[in-house]
Amino acid sequence: MCAGSGSSTIVLVIERAYRLLSLLLVVAALAAVPSAAAAVPPSVPPIPSDLTSTDVSIHTRDGKTLSGMVVAPRAATHPLPGLVLVHGSGNSRRKSVTPEAIAFARQGIAVLAYDKRPLDQPVYSLLADDVIAAAATLRDQPGVKRDAVGLWGISEGGWVEPIAASRSPEIAFVVLASAPGLTPLRVQNWNMLNKLTGAGVTGALAGTLSDRFYRLADDAGLFAEADHDPQPPLAAVTQPVLAVYGTADTQVPAAESAAVLTRTIRTPLTVRFLPGAGHTLRVLDGDGIYTDELFPAYAEIVGTWVRSTAAGRIPPPHTDPLPAQRATSDALTPSAWWESWPAQIAALAVLLLGFLSYPIVALTRRIRGRSVPTARPARILAATGALAVLGFVAYFVTVADSADWKGISPGPMLGGRPVLWLAVQALALITVIAAAMTAHASRRTRGDRPRQVVLLVAGALFLPWALYWGLLLP
């Protein structure tokens, strides 16, 4: 068999593989779409008859009015300690913490739950001012012990609470629930790695969706408060602190966060771990959905500590033994110039322009009735290159967007790799081979130089780009 015939056979095989993988991409993409029958969150329980509920208005420092309610024991005969509930991430309303309000009120506490200020991106300083205003509102309520009003906050609230407590000495105590002791960017990276592990994803995709994805988002300014350091606010807290964590938390590194608290907080600190509890510190049902029921002993731990602290009997410092943690979190390094979002956007533009210009110019010439000299390797390079880039971006965005508190949906899996990801990787490999063959063939081709040069520039740039995003890595 002559060399030319062998080359044609290789090109034919690559071309058929490209068509097969294109079909595979479409099929896998359809299979990766999450089901419309999403899990319905638990209904908000009504306020039981043994408790009272009073609607209140919170007037913020910047003139906003937030709605809230105070839940308290109906049979209370003396002033009660107060507890303001500080939300986690998202634009939550009071109903999201109603189960905690009910459970803590039954511990002999007047509890204020309010609608969080809606923000496109969180601003911890602004949210802390709202918390201070909420505490002032609770202090003014009948039946509340004015000098015994404190804060409880979960997850993101653990970044907000210390800011509020350090600004307002009138806040009597702080309760941290699943509070992160690390920067939001570092916590989110650890959270994503846990989601990928839970979904069975291994290999290069794990680094792409955790490390590179979040560094790019941070560099583009899409990750609000990404580098917030919780340690200075924690060190400035003068009130006694109770911190409660679940040992099965996959969203916040509990052991690392607790270690930060013990090193940083200078006031009496109690750290408790609930074996088997998850991030929300609530009970899961048979389908793995959080219910309205708080994890056993959680409400009692908070109630006992708050009542004792409010009575002036601050518990002595105590820290439960740190539990084993799935993995140690890593601080993400700042992006180099070539990793920055302008550089990445420019790379995408050059790639798509280089790959798509080849068939677009050919189509334009055909419409005008002109001859179009084309080589099969160049056609394959243009097609597979464009499809690999667009397929990667579509899959990347779809999978990242599928992440929620339950996990992530990477689509059908094969050997620890999502099928769609394997298809994009195969297209990337074909693109590199086709680029090499096109470069080799271009040395013998004299015509149509500008179009070939643009295509080869895209092919040359594709190699480092695909390596960086893990498309050519195992």
Side-chain angles (χ1 to χ4, degrees), residues 41-281:
S43 59
V44 179
I47 304 302
S49 59
D50 60 321
L51 303 175
T52 62
S53 175
T54 305
D55 290 335
V56 296
S57 295
I58 300 164
H59 303 290
T60 68
R61 184 177 180 181
D62 60 349
K64 304 285 186 183
T65 300
L66 306 177
S67 299
M69 66 176 179
V70 176
V71 181
R74 186 177 296 277
T77 58
H78 53 80
L80 301 172
L83 194 61
V84 175
L85 304 187
V86 182
H87 292 280
S89 60
N91 291 325
S92 305
R93 301 178 70 83
R94 74 187 82 169
K95 65 181 180 180
S96 66
V97 290
T98 296
E100 283 79 8
I102 292 172
F104 296 152
R106 283 178 163 164
Q107 291 294 315
I109 304 170
V111 184
L112 170 58
Y114 66 96
D115 297 336
K116 185 179 178 182
R117 176 194 295 258
L119 295 171
D120 292 334
Q121 295 285 359
V123 181
Y124 297 159
S125 179
L126 181 58
L127 294 173
D129 284 342
D130 292 348
V131 171
I132 293 171
T137 299
L138 183 55
R139 278 193 296 272
D140 290 338
Q141 297 305 302
V144 174
K145 190 176 180 182
R146 289 187 58 85
D147 62 350
V149 171
L151 311 175
W152 168 96
I154 189 163
S155 194
E156 181 188 270
W159 285 310
V160 174
E161 272 185 285
I163 300 174
S166 64
R167 290 179 181 175
S168 177
E170 292 181 298
I171 292 172
F173 51 84
V174 174
V175 179
L176 300 169
S178 303
L182 308 169
T183 66
L185 187 62
R186 182 167 178 170
V187 169
Q188 193 58 38
N189 174 53
W190 186 82
N191 181 3
M192 176 59 80
L193 286 172
N194 285 331
K195 286 180 170 60
L196 293 167
T197 299
V201 175
T202 60
L205 181 59
T208 295
L209 282 170
S210 56
D211 182 285
R212 290 167 180 78
F213 171 65
Y214 286 108
R215 286 201 290 134
L216 182 65
D218 182 31
D219 181 74
L222 302 177
F223 199 123
E225 301 279 7
D227 301 312
H228 169 74
D229 184 357
Q231 295 190 45
L234 287 169
V237 169
T238 59
Q239 300 88 340
V241 178
L242 166 66
V244 184
Y245 293 95
T247 61
D249 193 339
T250 60
Q251 293 178 255
V252 166
E256 286 182 80
S257 296
V260 170
L261 265 57
T262 57
R263 293 195 307 266
T264 308
I265 293 176
R266 301 186 178 97
T267 57
L269 169 67
T270 299
V271 180
R272 299 297 308 274
F273 289 95
L274 298 177
H279 184 64
T280 67
L281 304 176

